Amino acid sequence: MAPTAVGETQRIALAGGGTAQLDTGSAISLHDDPQWRDVQVLAGAVSFEVGHNDPRPFRVRAGRVVVTDVGTTFQLRRNGDATDVVVASGEVEVATTGGKAVLRAGESATLADDDATPRVTPVDADAAMAWTRGRLMFVDRPLKEVVAELNRYYPGRIVLVDDAAGKRRVSGVFRTNDPLAALRAIETNLGLHATHVAPGLFVPLPPFFVGGLAVPRVGAPPPPMGPTHTPTNSAK
């Protein structure tokens, strides 16, 4: 199955009921046999709501990581050789070559293809899966990580060229269909500046550049945004 385009999400009906929702730049393959309902996550992030009108167990693979549903809503995000699993409701069993663990609602695990026993940690599943509702939620995240996430939804390119700016903290809720509005809100709240340039044009001065591209110019930076601050022009 072809991956979703930049900024696109797609909902797919699953055998036996339930749905798979693909985030931007995501791809899966579906395999049904008499014993299993199998899905392989090839790229990106996918949220699953699993139906149980089919007696066959539901299983998701990502690299060497295998997730078996026990009745739940959960997400897999494939990032290189690592797989992030987040459970919003119910529970799943995750397995790698090193061992198994059960994740319940509000728990997550990051697993490498050659990882040891999965380590379970608490997670804000509502924030992690906000993209399924057309939103991106960040709580006290480094700007570098926020820009990387916005780039997944922007058909051009946002480039952060200042390491110090990349460490500034960001909290807010933004629309996935308007990453440049998110960038403008961040500019205002962090006192940065984005320079819009033509694709392929290199601009050496600022820290953000956009068009095909984006850059913030850092002067004397204001204090970092607090963990509960929401930019005034973020999505409500």
Side-chain angles (χ1 to χ4, degrees):
M1 179 176 295
T4 49
V6 173
E8 177 191 19
T9 62
Q10 182 179 4
R11 188 179 294 271
I12 298 170
L14 298 172
T19 59
Q21 185 171 349
L22 281 68
D23 196 7
T24 178
S26 301
I28 61 174
S29 62
L30 305 176
H31 308 278
D32 277 346
D33 64 38
Q35 284 76 42
W36 291 92
R37 292 175 290 160
D38 267 322
V39 178
Q40 184 173 8
V41 176
L42 304 174
V46 185
S47 170
F48 296 94
E49 294 182 6
V50 182
H52 295 282
N53 299 327
D54 191 314
R56 295 172 299 166
F58 181 79
R59 182 171 59 188
V60 182
R61 300 177 183 273
R64 297 181 183 176
V65 175
V66 180
V67 178
T68 305
D69 172 68
V70 191
T72 189
T73 300
F74 66 100
Q75 167 183 289
L76 264 74
R77 182 188 292 265
R78 187 72 175 157
N79 185 13
D81 291 334
T83 301
D84 297 325
V85 183
V86 173
V87 179
S89 66
E91 61 182 46
V92 299
E93 179 186 270
V94 296
T96 68
T97 53
K100 298 180 180 180
V102 173
L103 301 184
R104 297 177 175 83
E107 294 181 336
S108 70
T110 299
L111 312 108
D113 287 348
D114 57 354
D115 205 1
T117 302
R119 186 166 61 92
V120 179
T121 57
V123 69
D124 184 345
D126 185 60
M129 299 175 67
W131 64 269
T132 64
R133 305 184 300 278
R135 298 290 186 268
L136 294 174
M137 295 177 62
F138 303 107
V139 179
D140 197 33
R141 294 274 296 278
L143 177 59
K144 180 179 179 180
E145 294 181 7
V146 173
V147 168
E149 192 66 11
L150 292 176
N151 264 322
R152 299 181 63 241
Y153 297 88
Y154 182 53
R157 180 80 175 150
I158 303 172
V159 179
L160 184 61
V161 298
D162 185 279
D163 290 341
K167 297 175 183 177
R168 303 283 294 281
R169 314 301 289 191
V170 175
S171 294
V173 182
F174 307 102
R175 292 185 176 91
T176 58
N177 64 357
D178 196 353
L180 292 187
L183 188 63
R184 290 191 294 269
I186 292 167
E187 285 183 79
T188 299
N189 283 274
L190 292 187
L192 304 175
H193 177 69
T195 298
H196 295 245
V197 299
L201 176 63
F202 176 70
V203 179
L205 291 178
F208 274 139
F209 59 115
V210 199
L213 304 168
V215 204
R217 193 178 298 124
V218 179
M225 295 166 62
T228 59
H229 184 83
T230 300
T232 55
N233 59 342
S234 62
K236 293 182 180 180

